[in-house]
Amino acid sequence: MKTPQVIGDTPTPLLLLLLLLLLRLTGLCIDAYKPVVIVHGIFDGPKQFIKLSTYITKVHPGTEVKVIDMYDNMASLKPLWKQVRDFRKAINPIMQKAPGGIHLLCFSQGGLICRALLSTAPNHNVHSFISLSSPQAGQYGDTDYLKWVFPDCVKKTVFRICYNRLGQKVSICDYWNDPHHRSRYLQSNTFLPLLNGDKPHNEMKSWRENFLRIKKLVLIGGPDDGVITPWESSHFGFYDSKETVVQMRNQEFYKNDTFGLKMLSDRGDVSVCVHSGVKHVQWHSNFTVFRSCIEKWLT
Ligand SMILES: *[C@@H]1O[C@H](CO)[C@@H](O)[C@H](O)[C@H]1NC(C)=O
Ligand SMILES: *[C@@H]1O[C@H](CO)[C@@H](O)[C@H](O)[C@H]1NC(C)=O
């Protein structure tokens, strides 16, 4: 056997330095952290994510963290498909500037915006998609949020407002999933049943392929959330018609793999993180949650 030839002399420190500089300039430096894009939830905005941004740059110095400043506070009630389109426009240039890819961290309602964005963006380069207490399988509960938006309604009657054309112009209605009015949900909800493939449509196959470009799906939530109802919706669990929670693996969209969830899971790329003792608005500022559920996926 021939011994491999040594080309030239040992590189001088100056040469090494130049090489490192070159790697950095071309964005190929392997130890650079990918940019993190944050999408806020309902009734909030960038202000609520200052702490989280600090956590990220503290553990991963040099990370570019961007909280998208759009549809803040009351504007977060705008229809979700419209928001998805505009968030995509805002995030596209960030992805293009990051050939090595980005991470997407999305809170509450933002988690649905992000999933819809990922399903409808053919060329996205998102590596980790972190869904932080998002009603991924829908929402059905009497909460303060509901009272603010529809003061005269309780969960039993909201379907009357939500499941028609006008109602669908309010973001909450786009993921309102009334287990007692399944056929009206399928017929009138123009967002979640399409996203989940509960209602078959022509784009299903391509949406699934787009979604499957992600490398990791991280689902975070817990029983003391107080807003996401049932809280298991943060992990794709949801009520059946008797309001018994059916876990993700027994959901039809999982078993049929309508949007790629089962494939991701079979690939070993779904990470579920459950924490008790965390209220809805505390998920993004709780350092324990950050350390145990988020940090490791943002490299
Ligand atoms: C799942 O597959 C079954 C059997 O093919 C079908 O009857 C059902 O409508 C599908 N459900 C969804 C949500 O795709
Ligand atoms: C932070 O998370 C820990 C661990 O889950 C929990 O015990 C604690 O109550 C949380 N604190 C707040 C303020 O949310």
Side-chain angles (χ1 to χ4, degrees):
M1 246 175 76
K2 263 178 81 179
T3 39
Q5 282 213 325
V6 181
I7 306 160
D9 292 327
T10 333
T12 61
L14 186 71
L15 223 89
L16 266 174
L17 208 73
L18 271 169
L19 196 70
L20 277 174
L21 199 73
L22 198 75
L23 281 171
R24 222 167 233 295
L25 284 174
T26 49
L28 292 171
C29 197
I30 39 162
D31 65 356
Y33 297 110
K34 293 179 180 62
V36 178
V37 173
I38 298 177
V39 173
H40 68 81
I42 199 163
F43 300 134
D44 61 13
K47 256 196 211 132
Q48 279 73 23
F49 294 85
I50 293 171
K51 239 185 183 170
L52 178 61
S53 309
T54 320
Y55 294 164
I56 296 170
T57 48
K58 199 155 89 187
V59 300
H60 295 152
T63 306
E64 181 195 345
V65 182
K66 180 114 180 73
V67 190
I68 307 295
D69 187 9
M70 134 185 303
Y71 294 103
D72 300 340
N73 309 314
M74 285 310 282
S76 62
L77 286 173
K78 295 267 173 66
L80 282 195
W81 279 124
K82 186 171 154 53
Q83 295 198 46
V84 170
R85 199 186 56 208
D86 291 338
F87 273 101
R88 189 173 41 222
K89 272 189 215 150
I91 295 172
N92 261 340
I94 305 173
M95 292 201 277
Q96 274 156 17
K97 268 197 290 177
I102 67 165
H103 300 304
L104 201 51
L105 199 168
C106 314
F107 175 58
S108 194
Q109 176 179 283
L112 283 165
I113 293 175
C114 288
R115 185 153 67 89
L117 188 153
L118 291 167
S119 298
T120 55
N123 299 311
H124 77 75
N125 60 7
V126 172
H127 278 235
S128 302
F129 166 35
I130 300 175
S131 164
L132 185 58
S133 195
S134 291
Q136 291 291 356
Q139 169 78 7
Y140 182 70
D142 286 314
T143 61
D144 288 342
Y145 289 55
L146 191 69
K147 268 181 254 165
W148 293 330
V149 184
F150 305 121
D152 301 323
C153 279
V154 288
K155 66 176 185 183
K156 276 201 165 89
T157 56
V158 169
F159 79 94
R160 294 206 190 105
I161 298 186
C162 278
Y163 294 161
N164 61 63
R165 268 177 66 194
L166 213 65
Q168 287 298 301
K169 293 189 189 302
V170 183
S171 68
I172 291 182
C173 290
D174 293 333
Y175 48 93
W176 189 255
N177 188 354
D178 188 326
H180 308 292
H181 295 93
R182 181 81 184 162
S183 63
R184 286 197 58 176
Y185 161 78
L186 291 175
Q187 194 181 24
S188 305
N189 188 316
T190 56
F191 184 82
L192 195 59
L194 298 179
L195 190 57
N196 284 353
D198 292 331
K199 186 163 75 176
H201 57 91
N202 290 337
E203 307 295 326
M204 252 163 81
K205 200 165 159 274
S206 58
W207 285 14
R208 183 175 177 277
E209 276 165 21
N210 298 339
F211 185 60
L212 281 169
R213 289 174 67 90
I214 62 170
K215 310 278 183 268
K216 199 93 212 173
L217 170 65
V218 184
L219 302 169
I220 306 170
D224 300 312
D225 183 274
V227 172
I228 305 303
T229 322
W231 71 268
E232 289 92 339
S233 183
S234 58
H235 303 118
F236 286 102
F238 205 73
Y239 292 135
D240 63 10
S241 59
K242 294 187 183 71
E243 289 190 36
T244 304
V245 173
V246 176
Q247 296 302 331
M248 172 175 92
R249 279 166 197 285
N250 293 318
Q251 291 288 338
E252 212 168 275
F253 56 65
Y254 183 90
K255 290 191 281 189
N256 286 18
D257 203 18
T258 45
F259 66 92
L261 187 59
K262 182 169 184 292
M263 171 67 102
L264 271 180
S265 177
D266 290 347
R267 246 167 56 182
D269 290 332
V270 178
S271 165
V272 172
C273 216
V274 179
H275 272 288
S276 48
V278 188
K279 291 201 179 72
H280 191 62
V281 294
Q282 289 168 345
W283 285 105
H284 42 68
S285 48
N286 188 310
F287 194 64
T288 312
V289 172
F290 176 74
R291 272 254 121 125
S292 60
C293 308
I294 300 176
E295 179 185 346
K296 58 177 167 292
W297 309 117
L298 300 184
T299 55

